């Protein structure tokens, strides 16, 4: 590839990818709270990975979602997630552990991964039978198994089916250009509590039929911090710009910080 071809490729890529990660939300108050606290909080979200062989496979995964879709192409994102967004530099996102997710079209890929998952658990069970376990061995075995399952689940957390459903209609997930930050299953907090992912059934029970429950105090401990220098853009609904400026001017921050935010 010569320089002209490389430049042409980069130009095409820039037309459908941005150098920023956009975090969409539904209300102006959400934007104000994020800016005021300088934190993004993870929350449990459902991920359906069912296949014909595994019709109930799914997780409730604590995560923060962004995308790198250009604003001019983000109509679907605004329709689904809200007309407000804060954009962060991709460098900040990568440093914090965001990853672009894997979109899987062929469910055999998911089934193959499940085979490896099952084989590894059988190996751990067989290992326990062969060596015999005293009390200390049981504890070590339990930790080994938890660590293994958490690591396997971590990969699952970055998988999304190419197509899904939205409001009972078929929906192409692939066009979301999603990036995720995930709280790993089994994460140990400073208070010695552990963040555990939810099964599909546990998530359904937790979610209920109304509004999504508030973010737990434990998950709040997994927040991602940012500075105003990490923000590249703030998007607001039409007619809400002055309200956004007024909210920013009410923050207990320096005048230079207020000026920076209101100019984005």
């Amino acid at each position: 590839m010569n320089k002209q071809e490389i430049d042409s490729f980069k130009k095409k890529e820039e037309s459908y990818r941005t150098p920023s990660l956009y975090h969409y939300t539904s209300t102006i108050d959400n934007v104000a709270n994020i800016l005021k606290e300088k934190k993004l909080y993870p929350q449990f979200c459902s991920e359906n990975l069912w296949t014909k062989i595994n019709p109930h496979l799914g997780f409730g995964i604590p995560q923060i979602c962004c995308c790198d879709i250009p604003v001019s192409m983000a109509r679907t994102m605004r329709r689904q997630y809200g007309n407000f967004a804060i954009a962060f530099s991709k460098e900040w996102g990568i440093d914090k552990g965001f990853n672009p997710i894997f979109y899987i079209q062929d469910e055999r890929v998911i089934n193959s991964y499940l085979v490896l998952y099952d084989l590894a658990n059988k190996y751990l069970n067989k290992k326990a039978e062969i060596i015999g376990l005293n009390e200390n061995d049981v504890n070590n075995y339990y930790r080994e198994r938890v660590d293994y399952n958490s690591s396997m689940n971590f990969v699952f957390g970055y998988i999304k089916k190419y197509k899904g459903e939205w409001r009972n209609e078929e929906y192409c997930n692939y066009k979301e250009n999603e990036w995720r930050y995930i709280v790993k299953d089994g994460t140990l907090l400073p208070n010695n509590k552990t963040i555990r992912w939810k099964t599909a059934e546990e998530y359904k029970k937790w979610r209920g039929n109304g509004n999504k429950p508030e973010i737990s105090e434990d998950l709040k401990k997994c927040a991602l911090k940012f500075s105003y220098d990490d923000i590249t853009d703030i998007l607001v609904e039409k007619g809400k710009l002055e309200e956004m400026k007024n909210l920013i001017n009410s923050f207990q921050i320096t005048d230079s910080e207020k000026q920076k935010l209101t100019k984005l």
Side-chain angles (χ1 to χ4, degrees):
M1 222 183 234
N2 59 38
K3 185 178 184 304
Q4 186 176 0
E5 289 173 326
I6 292 173
D7 289 342
S8 175
F9 176 79
K10 286 182 177 178
K11 188 173 182 180
K12 287 180 180 178
E13 183 182 34
E14 288 169 359
S15 69
Y16 63 89
R17 295 284 189 273
T18 69
S20 299
L21 295 178
Y22 284 81
H23 178 71
Y24 280 86
T25 187
S26 57
T27 71
I28 196 169
D29 288 335
N30 288 345
V31 175
N33 288 333
I34 292 170
L35 293 175
K36 191 185 300 183
E37 295 189 35
K38 298 183 185 179
K39 292 178 182 178
L40 284 176
Y41 292 111
Q43 178 59 299
F44 283 101
C45 296
S46 175
E47 194 58 65
N48 170 18
L49 295 173
W50 61 266
T51 66
K52 291 176 182 176
I53 296 175
N54 299 279
H56 303 295
L57 181 63
F59 299 95
I61 305 171
Q63 60 186 274
I64 300 170
C65 299
C66 293
C67 73
D68 60 0
I69 302 174
V71 175
S72 60
M73 299 168 61
R75 177 182 295 180
T76 298
M77 297 300 293
R78 294 195 297 271
R79 182 165 60 98
Q80 284 198 231
Y81 302 108
N83 290 318
F84 302 88
I86 302 174
F88 301 89
S89 72
K90 199 166 279 182
E91 290 77 13
W92 173 83
I94 290 172
D95 181 66
K96 292 296 184 181
F98 278 87
N99 282 284
I101 66 172
F102 310 113
Y103 291 95
I104 303 298
Q105 181 277 134
D106 189 339
E107 65 180 38
R108 289 177 299 177
V109 177
I110 298 173
N111 290 334
S112 296
Y113 188 76
L114 286 171
V115 169
L116 293 175
Y117 189 93
D118 187 53
L119 285 173
N121 275 292
K122 286 179 179 177
Y123 162 76
L124 290 175
N125 289 338
K126 193 67 177 176
K127 176 182 173 182
E129 290 176 13
I130 292 172
I131 64 174
L133 297 176
N134 59 37
E135 187 175 345
N136 289 331
D137 290 331
V138 169
N139 291 333
N140 291 334
Y141 168 73
Y142 174 75
R143 282 195 294 269
E144 183 180 11
R145 192 182 186 105
V146 168
D147 289 344
Y148 175 77
N149 287 340
S150 295
S151 296
M152 293 291 281
N153 285 349
F154 195 49
V155 178
F156 263 129
Y158 290 103
I159 293 176
K160 195 176 189 75
K161 296 177 74 173
Y162 176 77
K163 286 186 177 180
E165 286 188 358
W166 186 65
R167 293 184 177 176
N168 298 318
E169 293 184 3
E170 186 177 77
Y171 176 75
C172 182
N173 295 317
Y174 181 65
K175 59 187 176 184
E176 290 191 354
N177 292 16
E178 185 179 347
W179 286 61
R180 283 182 190 169
Y181 167 79
I182 289 174
V183 180
K184 189 176 180 181
D185 185 29
T187 295
L188 185 64
L189 300 175
N191 59 6
N192 288 323
K193 289 186 178 180
T194 303
I195 299 295
R196 302 312 311 237
W197 290 12
K198 300 182 187 299
T199 64
E201 192 60 35
E202 288 170 342
Y203 178 84
K204 184 178 179 181
K205 184 178 180 180
W206 170 83
R207 179 67 175 81
N209 297 320
N211 294 329
K212 184 177 282 192
E214 294 292 322
I215 300 169
S216 71
E217 292 301 314
D218 287 340
L219 271 186
K220 286 183 178 180
K221 293 180 173 64
C222 301
L224 295 184
K225 297 179 181 180
F226 62 85
S227 74
Y228 293 143
D229 290 333
D230 297 315
I231 299 175
T232 60
D233 200 4
I234 299 174
L235 304 182
V236 298
E237 197 173 75
K238 187 176 180 181
K240 295 285 187 177
L241 181 58
E242 287 305 313
E243 183 180 352
M244 186 75 257
K245 288 181 178 180
N246 290 336
L247 285 168
I248 290 172
N249 285 322
S250 71
F251 295 171
Q252 298 298 310
I253 57 178
T254 66
D255 289 341
S256 61
E257 288 176 321
K258 291 177 182 179
Q259 188 175 29
K260 177 180 178 59
L261 291 177
T262 53
K263 284 187 175 181
L264 288 172

